[in-house]
Amino acid sequence: MSQGDVQKALETFGQLDQKISHFKELLSLANWDLHTGAPKKGRSLRSKAIGTLSSEVFQLSLSTEMGKCLDTLSDPDIQAQLDEVVRAKVRLYKRHYNKSKQIPPEEYQAYVVLTSQAQDVWIEAKTKKDFSIFRETLKKIVDFNKKFIDYYGYKDHPYDALLDEYEPGLTVQTLDQLFGDLRTKTIDLLERIQSSGNHPRTEIFHQRFDIKQQEAFSLFVLPKLGYDLEAGRLDVSAHPFATGLNTGDVRITTRYMENDMRSAIFGTIHECGHALYEQGVNPEFEGTILCGGTSMGIHESQSRFLENMVGRSFEFWTYFFDDLKRFFPEQFQDVSVEDFGRAVNTVEPSLIRVEADELTYNLHIMIRYEIEKELMAGELEVDDLPAVWNQKMEEYLGITPPDDAQGVLQDVHWSFGGFGYFPSYSLGNLYAAQILHTIRQDMPDFYEKVQNGEFLPIREWLRENIHQYGKLYTPNELIKKVTGEELNAKYLIDYFEEKYSKVYQL
Amino acid sequence: MSQGDVQKALETFGQLDQKISHFKELLSLANWDLHTGAPKKGRSLRSKAIGTLSSEVFQLSLSTEMGKCLDTLSDPDIQAQLDEVVRAKVRLYKRHYNKSKQIPPEEYQAYVVLTSQAQDVWIEAKTKKDFSIFRETLKKIVDFNKKFIDYYGYKDHPYDALLDEYEPGLTVQTLDQLFGDLRTKTIDLLERIQSSGNHPRTEIFHQRFDIKQQEAFSLFVLPKLGYDLEAGRLDVSAHPFATGLNTGDVRITTRYMENDMRSAIFGTIHECGHALYEQGVNPEFEGTILCGGTSMGIHESQSRFLENMVGRSFEFWTYFFDDLKRFFPEQFQDVSVEDFGRAVNTVEPSLIRVEADELTYNLHIMIRYEIEKELMAGELEVDDLPAVWNQKMEEYLGITPPDDAQGVLQDVHWSFGGFGYFPSYSLGNLYAAQILHTIRQDMPDFYEKVQNGEFLPIREWLRENIHQYGKLYTPNELIKKVTGEELNAKYLIDYFEEKYSKVYQL
């Protein structure tokens, strides 16, 4: 191959990358708008416009032109000449190209149609608390995923092919190990907590909290944590999210509940963690595929780190409690910072994943993980899901859902075909604890800093070690680079032990 | 040509049209966002993404595929088989295709770069009140436009080629006639007004008006005028605008000045007029080029109609004045509805077009029209603009700008190359008055309806006669269809005579 050919491939590849990235930026904006302030009557039409641009992106990433560039730039001799940045871009596009090319276009199209309609079916089923309404649709989605697994191929376990979508390189073997260790310790801790007889004062959260004041408090906390409000904004949506349009425009949403102030404040801190990641990506990656988080799990580690390791620490509230009382003088008159710090760390088995506490949360994930794994291996049928779900809830958490809406139908994920997605949430916790361990070694006064409100050095550490790289490294490369070892459950287990010993005086 | 070929061309044409329309919808959304709430640091990057999708739209509309479709569907035999809707679409795309194809791509590219940089140069010149800073840039823009005129071709006057961009079919001959009649009457009226010795109580506007209350009043008025808030929203921007993303999502912006309530309320009513047009387009045109206003002038007629013919009428304030007093009880304690109705119709020659009253506004437009016409005919040089501007201001309005910022540099239009744009504003007034004449014949109790707050029948009339058609008819076809005659200045002249006789007791 001549140098001219390589040069030309690099140029075309760069142009395609930029076009795709720019289109994706506009798609993210349109989706943000749909979930924040878009007027009701324009939404279904807007979705069509979004669909048109999405297919354009899909077609560009699978175009003949892209295929040729990837061919040229994947040649081992050429690879050796490329810098790390271009190699990473080629890896990412190639991964998507190779996987997507396996699926016959007409099957993919049928799947897109199916999953776009499935959400309404799921909503109806959930509203009517009747799994049977969703059952046949879910079967079709599962069947499609099984076919995709065959197209993609896998080494050890069929489910590996789907896990890889969300966390490149992740396997059942790894997860079984991680979740095995974590489960034993979680259940042990849960028993000790439940028999400790200690009950944090959670009733303090259930008072009337003016929504304007909640918003003002969120906007007070965000910049202190290092979120740049000139490169973002805070809005309201039904489900909080963060979306990075570019590094100068990373938006957060939260939701305000008048009778529980936790929802807004921890939602805001959580999304702030996601947002700091995207605000911190190397500006040179702007307008390329590298501009974003490297995986769902690493992304979630940044939000969980800020929400839980920082935001639920006693030190955090030692710093912020006087401010909180300033915003809500009546509600916390007779509450001490210790009461408050314990109350935000209450552990209590519950039915709904998104409302679960930090400790039992992972049990909810394990239930979903096991179900998905068995479904994809053909060891479990869709018909049996409600019974299996309830049985596992009883086994892991000691409670049985009174109906499917609070059980197997609670999450949206399966309706859009997101099999393999759930484990990322727990991976986030695991990564976060491992990163916490490293940062505390580098910065022994970490929690003193939190207590003094010195959040900027912490953000800088994260930016320096994680955020700036965007998607340059795979999650596995990154966690090794940052912490010096592979992901393991030890650090999360230690963290839980330390936290709950304090909270519940175990 | 076989029926199969025609069928295929229709299909491809439909797909291209939908794709372009969907892309434009997302571009409009991104531009709305840029001008409302986009965070500062993300804006320049967002502009690049907007640039990428804009070129895609441009390329699609000039693609070989589009050219072939237009060729096929323009064939007279085929045209005869097409329905009115498809014929209109072909006309619109063909117009753009033929014009744009005249310009060599590298020249167009250079022009895009020039005009994208020119705005900053203009801002600097305006800030420093120094025309010479902008002069050389403006010369280049004028030269480009002269070349474009040669590429486009014209019959009678070079400027016709540019007028046609904003108002298809409009010529210097027509405008000279319209503006000639209007100018004589305006100057006559202005003299009578100035010598009448009557002075409406304009000081009532210069009090402190709480911005939250101004916003609440805008949101109170909008739905009464027929604006559907479930198919739109009201935001704030530096310069008010309306943008139709689709018929279910037509957004308005306004701006609030604490020391003058007119800016917000009349800005809101004006943009509401634009928005009613786009909310009222036939939903079957959704996702096609027909979905929007047929020309700048007709669009402006809808905003001016609502702002001036309706919103500045005594009847309008007879209906709304008690409400206004409810929102601002202190400010209007000793003001009568007659005082208020006269004050919102004050005539006073002034320097700045966007702040001009309804009568003198057209004189500002005529000055720009004459200058542009002479520039494009080579009868005037850019170097002479400041002097000519000031001389015409003195001649038409009896005042001379103290500096270029308040003179020749006041408008943004020339910096983006918008030669031919200004006349649309006055055309809007002319169309609006002619439409008012027709509606009052159809609906003799028109102003009684306004006085009783019955705005919905008025909106329905406009929807039925104008809005629903979108771009189906050319502006000329439309005005004849609605009013039975060609556009002429008589109705605006009559309207002014009627209004100012009342306001100034002439």
Side-chain angles (χ1 to χ4, degrees), chain A residues 19 22-23 25-26 29-30 32-33 37-42 45-46 48-49 52-53 56 228 230-233 245-246 248-249 251 286, chain B residues 19 22-23 25-26 29-30 32-33 37-42 45-46 48-49 52-53 56 228 230-233 245-246 248-249 251 286:
Chain A
K19 199 171 188 178
H22 282 167
F23 287 0
E25 175 169 344
L26 298 176
L29 177 66
W32 169 84
D33 185 69
K40 200 173 128 187
K41 292 185 182 168
L45 291 160
R46 178 69 29 74
K48 288 187 192 170
T52 302
L53 189 56
E56 187 72 16
D228 182 351
E230 289 195 343
R233 48 181 284 169
L245 308 175
N246 58 51
D249 188 353
R251 303 182 184 192
E286 205 67 67
Chain B
K19 199 171 188 178
H22 282 168
F23 287 180
E25 174 169 344
L26 297 176
L29 177 66
W32 168 84
D33 185 70
K40 199 173 129 186
K41 292 185 182 167
L45 292 160
R46 177 69 29 75
K48 289 187 191 170
T52 302
L53 189 56
E56 186 73 15
D228 182 352
E230 289 195 343
R233 47 182 285 169
L245 308 175
N246 58 51
D249 188 352
R251 304 181 183 192
E286 203 68 67

Side-chain angles (χ1 to χ4, degrees), chain B residues 237-351:
Chain B
S237 65
H239 302 282
F241 65 94
T243 182
L245 308 175
N246 58 51
T247 57
D249 188 352
V250 184
R251 304 181 183 192
I252 290 176
T253 72
T254 191
R255 63 176 159 191
Y256 302 103
M257 296 169 77
E258 212 174 46
N259 63 350
D260 193 343
M261 50 77 73
R262 285 176 298 185
S263 172
I265 185 62
F266 290 107
T268 300
I269 299 173
H270 179 97
E271 301 309 333
C272 178
H274 283 301
L276 293 184
Y277 193 176
E278 307 235 350
Q279 283 186 342
V281 173
N282 184 348
E284 287 176 21
F285 295 168
E286 203 68 67
T288 77
I289 194 174
L290 298 183
C291 203
T294 188
S295 72
M296 294 292 310
I298 297 287
H299 228 308
E300 194 70 9
S301 79
Q302 295 309 292
S303 55
R304 301 274 166 154
F305 182 84
L306 206 65
E307 178 192 351
N308 293 332
M309 280 73 178
V310 175
R312 290 186 201 268
S313 67
F314 282 89
E315 291 82 358
F316 183 88
W317 289 107
T318 302
Y319 178 71
F320 273 116
F321 197 56
D322 284 344
D323 294 314
L324 183 69
K325 286 209 277 198
R326 199 158 44 78
F327 282 82
F328 301 103
E330 285 168 26
Q331 289 86 337
F332 297 118
Q333 256 171 358
D334 74 330
V335 179
S336 71
V337 61
E338 288 72 27
D339 288 343
F340 192 85
R342 293 184 58 212
V344 300
N345 287 297
T346 308
V347 171
E348 176 82 59
S350 62
L351 292 170

Side-chain angles (χ1 to χ4, degrees), chain B residues 76-224:
Chain B
D77 291 340
I78 309 296
Q79 280 268 312
Q81 302 169 28
L82 300 177
D83 65 32
E84 176 179 56
V85 170
V86 179
R87 272 207 309 272
K89 290 182 196 173
V90 171
R91 163 175 58 78
L92 291 162
Y93 277 109
K94 199 170 172 181
R95 193 178 122 79
H96 173 68
Y97 185 91
N98 287 347
K99 286 195 114 173
S100 305
K101 279 287 182 187
Q102 306 301 320
I103 303 176
E106 60 286 358
E107 271 182 54
Y108 183 77
Q109 188 54 33
Y111 184 63
V112 168
V113 172
L114 174 66
T115 47
S116 73
Q117 293 161 345
Q119 201 165 335
D120 287 341
V121 182
W122 166 73
I123 288 170
E124 194 198 336
K126 189 175 174 182
T127 308
K128 297 191 177 157
K129 306 176 182 184
D130 182 356
F131 180 74
S132 72
I133 294 173
F134 185 48
R135 190 175 51 213
E136 296 310 310
T137 303
L138 184 56
K139 278 185 190 171
K140 288 183 200 157
I141 296 176
V142 168
D143 287 343
F144 264 111
N145 275 277
K146 286 180 172 175
K147 275 202 279 185
F148 296 165
I149 289 173
D150 287 337
Y151 290 134
Y152 297 153
Y154 57 90
K155 224 173 100 189
D156 297 318
H157 194 285
Y159 189 43
D160 291 352
L162 300 183
L163 289 172
D164 182 73
E165 272 294 281
Y166 300 94
E167 205 64 17
L170 184 68
T171 62
V172 164
Q173 197 190 351
T174 305
L175 272 181
D176 280 348
Q177 173 74 48
L178 290 167
F179 283 173
D181 297 347
L182 185 58
R183 184 187 165 189
T184 315
K185 183 62 187 182
T186 301
I187 288 179
D188 164 58
L189 254 174
L190 188 54
E191 279 166 10
R192 286 158 61 206
I193 286 168
Q194 287 180 313
S195 59
S196 77
N198 281 313
H199 297 289
R201 294 179 56 188
T202 48
E203 75 282 2
I204 61 174
F205 301 124
H206 302 295
Q207 307 183 56
R208 196 191 151 275
F209 295 92
D210 181 73
I211 283 175
K212 282 272 158 225
Q213 281 299 93
Q214 292 194 50
E215 188 189 10
F217 187 64
S218 282
L219 286 167
F220 171 77
V221 170
L222 280 171
K224 292 203 174 272

